[in-house]
Amino acid sequence: MNGVEGFMYPNEVELVWSVLIVLYPYITGLVAGAFILASLERVFRVDAVKPTYRLALLTALSFLLVAPLPLQLHLGHPERSPEMYFTPHSTSAMAMFGYVYLWYLMAVLVFEIWLDYRRDIVLRARRERGLLRLIYKVMTLGSDNISERSLHIDERVGWVVTLIGIPSAFLLHGYVGFIFGSIKANPWWSSPLMPVVFIFSAMVSGIACVMVIYMATSKLRGTTIDMGCVDTIAMYLFYTFIIDFSLEMLDLIHRIYEADESFRSLNFMVHTKLYFSHIVVQIGLGTLTPLVLLAITQVTKLSEMARKRIYALAGALTLIGIFAMRWNVVIGGQLFSKSFLGYTTYKVGMVTREGLPVAIALTLLPLLFLWVLVKLLPPWDDASAAHGATGD
Amino acid sequence: MSAFRDAGHLLRFAGLFVLAFIIFLVVRKFVVPKSFGEYGHYRGAAIGEIAAHPAHFAGHQACEACHADIADEKKGGKHAHVNCEACHGPLGKHADDPASVTPAKLDTAVLCVRCHAASVAKPKNFPQVDAADHANGVPCETCHKPHNPALEAGGAK
């Protein structure tokens, strides 16, 4: 049979979960990671990362809006998805995700962004004309109170929302890991470490994503990159990455030492079918290389230009590496037979609902959403300073 | 009172949530079928609706009532326990009105390989062939009688 080696059960030959299911944990991971970066400033008072606070929130929102789309395209019948809310199934982790998603979207991200931008929204509603004015007016919810006291209340409430948001972000992405980790029939997935690994890899990818977007947008806008800010982000990226890598290695060592009945088959798969995506891309290019690059910036004194280049390269490689990690989890877990005697092949479709063009479009769509959000709610300091009129 | 006034916008946001929740409850009332959850996490009325569907399959007893010769031929052969409609498809309408509804003639070159195409996933003692190599397009019934397929049972050698 085409692409099959050894013995496969008939239902294992075709992969059920495609590249879109790879994208889904990748995107939710970016959401959770970006939010955790934002919380550094808000809750942990890391002032150095302040220039990226709003950008991180908008990035998280842009990616969160796209997060359900891969699932909708994979499952088909999007008109049925509201039924998940109307008839909640409390013992289905996948069904409960709908509520986690909605909670995180509305009670955490949208609320926090609204609180943080409320002053700017009110000022813009006063200043703009036409359709923009109407949009901002709607966003004020009819309240143009931006007195010092009301803004102080926003600040306090925003802090609480961020505090609630941190476990929510962990829940959002921990759930994704939980889904895989709880599939006991699949030894490649079934591990209680899976949710923890997913959370830390999410933080790594989200931090790297915001760092790269911040540097890219600064370059595009022709503004100076705040090196104190990116140095701090890179430091946190480095530390988080070390924890993430340690956890993944712990999982690997545990598997090797335990060497259960699936080990020989999985080991063979990692050295053959998954060699390029797992060993070369995920571990070599996407983990060890950025770790070494970031370590160099931590232990040596490099020029600003060299640091910028290293951060950009390390950030991009990290994003590729985490995508490869998702790929290896989702696709890798479907390439071997439960009999441990055979392997199948996954070929990404082209002109299908779950093909490569769709996957690329879904990867780029959050950037389009981010562009619209940035136009509507500029996250830059100069934008809010430009019309610094005080309220009533 | 001023604290309340300065926090008024928060109440508006909370109001949005309450409004959304009320809309959710109203829509839910209309879209969730009344019998949902009656027996489990599904629409209770679905059971009755499914039961009311007309039967498409007649069952082998109905076939054997008229086609006793075929039933005899099947007896003792490898296909003795394969139901008639497993190959011929649902023939409830034909059983109801044999004169006007006639089953289509089956193409054995396509039909047989549904079960007998070689696959490593099948048990070794299950008869399986690479159709192109084995028959080269010649219909299976040329050599095998579908109702009793062993060659020694009467098929051409």
Side-chain angles (χ1 to χ4, degrees):
Chain A
M1 203 173 287
N2 204 13
V4 171
E5 292 162 32
F7 178 88
M8 291 298 280
Y9 291 114
N11 60 332
E12 294 172 329
V13 173
E14 292 291 328
L15 269 69
V16 181
W17 286 354
S18 67
V19 66
L20 293 193
I21 306 300
V22 176
L23 264 188
Y24 164 66
Y26 185 61
I27 290 175
T28 50
L30 292 173
V31 176
F35 185 83
I36 299 292
L37 179 62
S39 71
L40 274 181
E41 195 274 328
R42 194 73 184 244
V43 176
F44 302 106
R45 304 285 177 209
V46 183
D47 286 338
V49 299
K50 201 178 171 99
T52 58
Y53 170 68
R54 286 180 155 187
L55 185 65
L57 285 182
L58 296 183
T59 305
L61 181 59
S62 315
F63 279 92
L64 191 65
L65 290 172
V66 178
L69 294 185
L71 299 184
Q72 299 278 22
L73 279 160
H74 171 72
L75 294 168
H77 285 288
E79 79 284 359
R80 291 182 189 166
S81 56
E83 288 177 21
M84 186 170 62
Y85 295 107
F86 292 133
T87 54
H89 198 308
S90 58
T91 55
S92 160
M94 284 195 183
M96 279 298 108
F97 171 72
Y99 287 94
V100 175
Y101 174 82
L102 205 61
W103 161 265
Y104 193 73
L105 176 70
M106 293 310 296
V108 176
L109 260 184
V110 169
F111 190 33
E112 181 165 342
I113 290 171
W114 184 72
L115 286 173
D116 197 68
Y117 273 98
R118 215 175 56 77
R119 179 176 168 276
D120 295 17
I121 292 169
V122 170
L123 292 177
R124 279 172 179 266
R126 289 176 186 168
R127 191 166 55 95
E128 299 292 348
R129 292 280 169 268
L131 181 65
L132 268 180
R133 183 190 176 89
L134 182 69
I135 293 170
Y136 287 117
K137 273 272 182 200
V138 170
M139 284 162 81
T140 62
L141 300 181
S143 164
D144 69 346
N145 181 1
I146 47 170
S147 65
E148 207 168 295
R149 189 167 163 71
S150 73
L151 293 177
H152 178 71
I153 291 171
D154 288 353
E155 177 64 27
R156 299 301 303 162
V157 175
W159 185 84
V160 174
V161 172
T162 316
L163 200 63
I164 297 168
I166 296 170
S168 302
F170 276 43
L171 184 67
L172 179 82
H173 203 65
Y175 142 84
V176 182
F178 176 83
I179 289 281
F180 288 101
S182 60
I183 299 179
K184 56 180 174 258
N186 189 320
W188 185 247
W189 292 335
S190 179
S191 159
L193 262 182
M194 198 63 106
V196 190
V197 170
F198 263 63
I199 287 169
F200 276 92
S201 59
M203 285 163 68
V204 168
S205 65
I207 293 172
C209 179
V210 175
M211 184 176 78
V212 169
I213 289 178
Y214 172 67
M215 291 172 75
T217 47
S218 298
K219 180 117 183 134
L220 286 172
R221 293 168 60 236
T223 55
T224 327
I225 293 173
D226 183 333
M227 283 313 287
C229 172
V230 279
D231 283 339
T232 311
I233 295 177
M235 183 183 74
Y236 278 103
L237 176 62
F238 179 58
Y239 293 150
T240 322
F241 219 154
I242 287 177
I243 300 173
D244 177 44
F245 186 55
S246 308
L247 284 169
E248 286 190 34
M249 287 304 105
L250 176 65
D251 184 43
L252 184 70
I253 291 165
H254 182 254
R255 282 170 189 272
I256 294 171
Y257 189 74
E258 192 183 16
D260 68 6
E261 71 275 13
S262 66
F263 181 72
R264 277 185 62 192
S265 174
L266 298 184
N267 189 43
F268 180 78
M269 180 176 75
V270 168
H271 287 88
T272 50
K273 293 236 169 208
L274 279 191
Y275 185 79
F276 180 72
S277 62
H278 199 279
I279 308 283
V280 177
V281 182
Q282 183 188 331
I283 296 178
L285 207 64
T287 305
L288 292 175
T289 312
L291 267 176
V292 169
L293 287 172
L294 290 168
I296 291 169
T297 64
Q298 299 300 309
V299 296
T300 56
K301 279 194 182 298
L302 296 168
S303 69
E304 199 176 298
M305 185 53 77
R307 293 204 314 278
K308 274 185 203 167
R309 285 180 179 164
I310 288 180
Y311 293 155
L313 180 63
L317 287 176
T318 303
L319 288 171
I320 294 169
I322 300 292
F323 180 81
M325 182 260 186
R326 312 293 191 230
W327 175 279
N328 294 323
V329 168
V330 177
I331 302 298
Q334 303 173 84
L335 291 183
F336 66 93
S337 168
K338 179 71 177 160
S339 66
F340 305 130
L341 294 170
Y343 305 88
T344 188
T345 305
Y346 174 58
K347 201 172 166 191
V348 185
M350 283 304 289
V351 194
T352 68
R353 204 175 62 202
E354 299 189 54
L356 187 65
V358 177
I360 292 171
L362 285 179
T363 312
L364 297 176
L365 191 59
L367 299 177
L368 179 69
F369 283 1
L370 182 63
W371 181 77
V372 173
L373 282 172
V374 164
K375 286 282 168 203
L376 212 55
L377 303 168
W380 335 112
D381 276 347
D382 49 334
S384 52
H387 29 265
T390 51
D392 51 6
Chain B
M1 271 318 276
S2 91
F4 185 75
R5 200 193 68 204
D6 287 329
H9 58 283
L10 296 177
L11 292 178
R12 286 170 189 262
F13 199 90
L16 258 189
F17 270 74
V18 173
L19 183 69
F21 190 62
I22 292 170
I23 293 171
F24 169 79
L25 289 180
V26 171
V27 174
R28 186 176 188 276
K29 191 160 175 51
F30 285 104
V31 299
V32 176
K34 288 213 168 15
S35 64
F36 185 86
E38 202 177 329
Y39 306 115
H41 199 79
Y42 57 91
R43 199 164 49 87
I47 293 177
E49 286 170 23
I50 293 164
H53 283 169
H56 294 292
F57 288 87
H60 69 97
Q61 295 92 339
C63 308
E64 287 161 6
C66 299
H67 303 283
D69 53 330
I70 303 293
D72 285 341
E73 194 182 334
K74 270 180 77 185
K75 251 182 228 164
K78 290 276 185 188
H79 284 171
H81 299 292
V82 177
N83 253 306
C84 312
E85 286 162 303
C87 298
H88 290 277
L91 288 171
K93 285 181 184 166
H94 168 67
D96 289 343
D97 186 2
S100 52
V101 183
T102 346
K105 177 97 174 90
L106 299 174
D107 179 1
T108 53
V110 178
L111 180 74
C112 301
V113 288
R114 269 195 217 155
C115 296
H116 295 286
S119 163
V120 282
K122 290 174 188 164
K124 276 190 182 142
N125 58 358
F126 184 83
Q128 45 192 314
V129 294
D130 179 339
D133 189 39
H134 180 77
N136 200 21
V138 178
C140 310
E141 63 187 315
T142 313
C143 302
H144 304 273
K145 284 190 169 179
H147 296 116
N148 191 349
L151 291 174
E152 56 272 23
K157 299 258 172 166

